[in-house]
């Protein structure tokens, strides 16, 4: 059936009726074009020029500025013309400026600001003309399609042919449990089938056929974005209206959605490696999902190297390597990823590798022991009864994000091996707790006093985790 878009409001009414009656939503072209058509129909801005030179006119305003006039005078100057606008200085508050805009058979007045760009709300514009154009589009669409917009997320395309469904058909199964794998993480191992066709709406780094994918939950990292040319929301499939800041884009995976739709998008971000610029200083969950690994590659590669040639090294993790060489290792991982060469041929001093591993943990934007769980761990450490303290630590461990839990588990297994070589390296669980306490956990507030006060508890938590690794994980 061919649809006619001459009367946009009729199409909107038909769509709303469809949803209200629990019918299948209208076909894709209708979804795509309803709001786009309304943007095309929106009133165009008409600048009303002041016929005289206005003294003390701000240099960033043009001849649409009419000086100090009243609301009534502004209304008269606009002449009832839809889309007409002027700028005026407030009579009651000299030095304050107002945009008077004609829309919907009435004059609307907005307090106008300038900080290098013009704005009346969140959006910033290079020119008054662009500000008014965007405002008229928004007013027109939100007036004509208010009910339609409120129902956009009722039956989103995302759930049917969107990101997760379109890119892969998931067959979940639990990771087989072995002594080398986590016992309590809710990590799933997935098999994926190739997708024959991917809509141009949903641009993703598609997972290849039979890729292994560790399904850690990750929220999208949405940021306001200005799209060049027409764009449609990848959640509800509707047009993203306006001139600038029409929606938000996930900086990790590239998902483009309306700001209001972003609140409904599931926590299923699959970061695109092309968007991940660094290994160090990158969010832990983002990194493991981007590289499709169970733990950060830095942790696996460094620990493998340390266990191969450094477990008996005196003062392991306590003795520092040369800072310059540690920075070289960091740059190697940032540049080459899993291909970084940290072998003994390149870095014979094992303390450089331990230093690089500790630096990775310190550089995490969210520590391995997250800010959300920090105070709970500190409270657990303060419990005097050993059994109750151990139980409290276990309960807080379960609150860690899966990727953080798995990374901590793997590190504690490694540090337990370090303590088993205490006769050679002189590093017991308490010594390692002193080293790794402030490395793995930091207070949410940047307070030197809090950090100093909590150091003994940080040390104790890591010591407990090492000594009871086989029980806690």
């Amino acid at each position: 059936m061919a649809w006619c878009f001459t009367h946009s409001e009729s199409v909107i009414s038909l769509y709303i009726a469809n949803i209200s009656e629990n019918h299948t939503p209208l076909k894709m072209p209708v979804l795509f074009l309803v709001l786009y058509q309304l943007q095309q129909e929106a009133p165009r801005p008409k600048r009303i020029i002041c016929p005289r030179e206005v003294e003390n006119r701000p240099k960033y305003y043009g001849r649409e500025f009419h000086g100090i006039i009243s609301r009534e005078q502004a209304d008269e100057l606009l002449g009832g013309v839809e889309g007409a606008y002027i700028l005026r200085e407030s009579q009651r508050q000299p030095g304050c400026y107002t945009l008077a805009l004609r829309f919907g058979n009435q004059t609307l007045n907005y307090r106008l600001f300038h900080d290098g760009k013009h704005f009346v709300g969140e959006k910033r514009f290079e020119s008054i003309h662009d500000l008014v154009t965007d405002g008229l589009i928004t007013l027109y669409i939100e007036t004509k399609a208010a009910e339609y917009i409120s129902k956009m997320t009722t039956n989103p395309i995302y759930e049917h042919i969107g990101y997760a469904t379109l890119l892969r058909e998931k067959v979940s199964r639990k990771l087989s449990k072995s002594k080398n794998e986590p016992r309590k993480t809710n990590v799933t191992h997935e098999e994926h089938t190739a997708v024959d066709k991917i809509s141009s709406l949903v641009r993703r780094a598609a997972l290849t056929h039979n890729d292994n994918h560790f399904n850690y939950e990750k929220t999208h990292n949405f940021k306001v974005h200005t799209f060049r040319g027409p764009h449609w929301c990848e959640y509800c499939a509707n047009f993203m209206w306006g001139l600038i800041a029409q929606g938000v884009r996930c900086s990790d995976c590239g998902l483009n959605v309306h700001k209001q739709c972003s609140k409904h998008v599931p926590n299923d971000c699959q970061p695109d490696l092309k968007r991940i610029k660094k290994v160090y200083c990158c969010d832990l969950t983002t990194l493991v999902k981007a590289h499709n690994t169970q733990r950060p590659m830095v942790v696996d590669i460094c620990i493998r190297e340390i266990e191969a040639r450094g477990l008996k090294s005196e003062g392991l993790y306590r003795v520092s390597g040369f800072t310059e060489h540690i920075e070289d290792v960091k740059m190697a991982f940032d540049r080459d990823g899993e291909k970084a060469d940290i072998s003994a041929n390149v870095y014979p001093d094992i303390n450089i590798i331990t230093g690089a591993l500790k630096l990775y943990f310190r550089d995490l934007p969210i520590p391995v022991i997250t800010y959300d769980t920090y105070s709970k761990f500190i409270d657990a450490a303060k419990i005097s009864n050993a059994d109750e303290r151990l139980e409290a630590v276990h309960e807080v461990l379960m609150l860690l994000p899966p990727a953080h839990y798995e990374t901590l588990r793997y590190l504690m297994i490694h540090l337990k091996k370090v303590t088993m070589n205490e006769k050679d390296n002189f590093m017991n669980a308490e010594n390692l707790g002193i080293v790794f306490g402030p490395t793995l956990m930091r207070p949410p507030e940047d307070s030197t006093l809090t950090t100093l006060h909590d150091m003994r508890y940080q040390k104790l938590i890591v010591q407990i985790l090492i000594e009871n690794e086989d029980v806690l994980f």
Side-chain angles (χ1 to χ4, degrees), residues 168-174 188-193:
R168 57 201 186 271
E169 293 177 12
K170 298 188 287 185
V171 181
S172 298
R173 61 183 176 84
K174 295 181 179 179
T188 59
H189 190 229
E190 300 179 346
E191 295 177 352
H192 305 282
T193 57

Side-chain angles (χ1 to χ4, degrees), residues 218 221 223 249-254 271-284 286-291 297-298 329-338 360 365:
K218 181 189 178 310
N221 186 17
K223 295 181 180 178
R249 168 176 286 176
C250 176
S251 59
D252 293 334
C253 72
D272 184 350
L273 263 178
K274 295 177 182 178
R275 298 176 179 275
I276 308 301
K277 306 299 182 185
K278 296 180 179 180
V279 171
Y280 279 66
C281 302
C282 178
D283 173 71
L284 193 152
T286 299
L287 186 69
V288 298
K289 286 184 72 70
H291 287 271
M297 69 175 79
V298 179
V329 174
K330 173 182 176 179
M331 287 189 289
F333 276 114
D334 282 341
R335 181 183 63 247
D336 304 325
E338 59 189 11
Y360 171 76

Side-chain angles (χ1 to χ4, degrees), residues 6 41 73 208 222 390 471:
T6 306
E41 295 172 3
Q73 289 173 304
T208 55
F222 286 120
L390 192 64
V471 176

Side-chain angles (χ1 to χ4, degrees), residues 52 65-75 77 86-99 109 111:
R52 58 184 174 81
F65 183 75
H66 287 249
I68 299 177
I69 61 174
S70 66
R71 288 193 173 203
E72 292 73 23
Q73 289 173 304
D75 191 40
L77 286 169
I86 65 168
L87 307 183
R88 64 183 180 86
E89 187 173 356
S90 173
Q91 285 183 320
R92 297 177 180 177
Q93 295 178 289
C96 295
Y97 303 100
T98 299
L99 166 67
N109 291 276
R111 178 79 176 273

Side-chain angles (χ1 to χ4, degrees), residues 353-370:
I353 309 306
T354 59
L357 180 60
K358 289 186 292 182
L359 180 61
Y360 171 76
F361 289 130
R362 286 197 302 272
D363 279 355
L364 285 172
I366 300 175
V368 175
I369 292 178
T370 61

Side-chain angles (χ1 to χ4, degrees), residues 46 51 63 88 106 140 190 205 207-208 291 390 409:
K46 300 173 183 66
R63 294 187 62 189
R88 64 183 180 86
Q106 60 180 322
Y140 189 77
E190 300 179 346
L207 299 177
T208 55
H291 287 271
L390 192 64
R409 181 197 69 86

